[in-house]
Amino acid sequence: PLSVQSYRIGDAVGIIIRTNKHKLEAYRHQMPRFGVSTKTKIETQFLIDAAGNDLKLADGIRLARQQQNPHHHNYEDNTQEELLRMSMQFDEGFHHISTIDVYNPSQRPPRKALDTLIIKFVYSASDGSIHSVQQQTRYRDFQPNGGGRNTMPKSFTVEYVWIEEADVDLESGVLFLFAIVLLVALLGMMDVCCGSEIEENGGTY
């Protein structure tokens, strides 16, 4: 099978995101819509927070920690210097994209940060299946902040591009090939008959 599920145009296609830290389920607004090209933003902090905790809740925890110890580097400062990689699985894991760097602080300057992830789906509208998934990445040079520290970008763009694959009518294709074979056979028989007549008439018509 080309796909686990049969989708209708506009259906949300579930995503499992795997990072070098966690396994997450994407929010609905981050998911692609079957057969509809869309764009979304993914927060890098969403990928960092354990089990995809709600960002507002995570922000509240960090704020409480800062208030308790304002002179200590907060949680976000520590994570901004970490390597972040991710991959995605679609259609209950039947299709996936390979692991990519979102941010890699160990790179030599100028460091690159993920700007746009383009995911191309080849699909069939007639049976609601996904045939294949391809990826393309665009990176941007990332400059240190005012303190000279390299900080992870807050988000990146994901573009979902859907390309409909023309349905192949196998029955018509077989009939077409059969017609060609039959035509070639008939032409061959005609050549044999004409050759026999020439021989019977002494080499002339």
Side-chain angles (χ1 to χ4, degrees), residues 63-159:
L63 179 60
R65 288 177 178 173
Q66 290 178 34
Q67 291 173 346
Q68 291 175 2
N69 191 355
H71 302 293
H72 190 272
H73 289 305
N74 63 26
Y75 171 77
E76 185 173 0
D77 286 338
N78 293 332
T79 58
Q80 293 303 308
E81 294 298 318
E82 295 183 9
L83 169 68
L84 181 59
R85 289 176 172 164
M86 61 167 283
S87 64
M88 289 183 173
Q89 296 179 340
F90 307 91
D91 198 17
E92 299 184 10
F94 195 81
H95 296 284
H96 70 278
I97 63 171
S98 57
T99 302
I100 60 172
D101 282 352
V102 177
Y103 177 70
N104 188 349
S106 65
Q107 283 181 327
R108 294 181 178 179
R111 291 182 173 89
K112 303 286 186 180
L114 182 63
D115 180 70
T116 305
L117 171 61
I118 303 171
I119 302 176
K120 296 181 180 180
F121 297 88
V122 178
Y123 75 103
S124 171
S126 61
D127 60 7
S129 65
I130 298 173
H131 292 188
S132 64
V133 178
Q134 300 175 340
Q135 72 192 65
Q136 181 182 348
T137 52
R138 295 175 184 165
Y139 287 86
R140 66 176 184 270
D141 291 340
F142 201 70
Q143 303 297 329
N145 61 15
R149 293 167 58 87
N150 289 285
T151 56
M152 189 181 300
K154 292 184 178 181
S155 66
F156 57 89
T157 301
V158 182
E159 295 183 14

Side-chain angles (χ1 to χ4, degrees), residues 15-26 46-53 84-89 92-93:
I15 306 177
I16 298 295
I17 301 175
R18 292 182 181 273
T19 73
N20 50 316
K21 301 176 181 296
H22 310 294
K23 175 182 176 182
L24 315 168
E25 288 190 17
F46 165 75
L47 302 177
I48 294 171
D49 289 333
N53 289 330
L84 181 59
R85 289 176 172 164
M86 61 167 283
S87 64
M88 289 183 173
Q89 296 179 340
E92 299 184 10

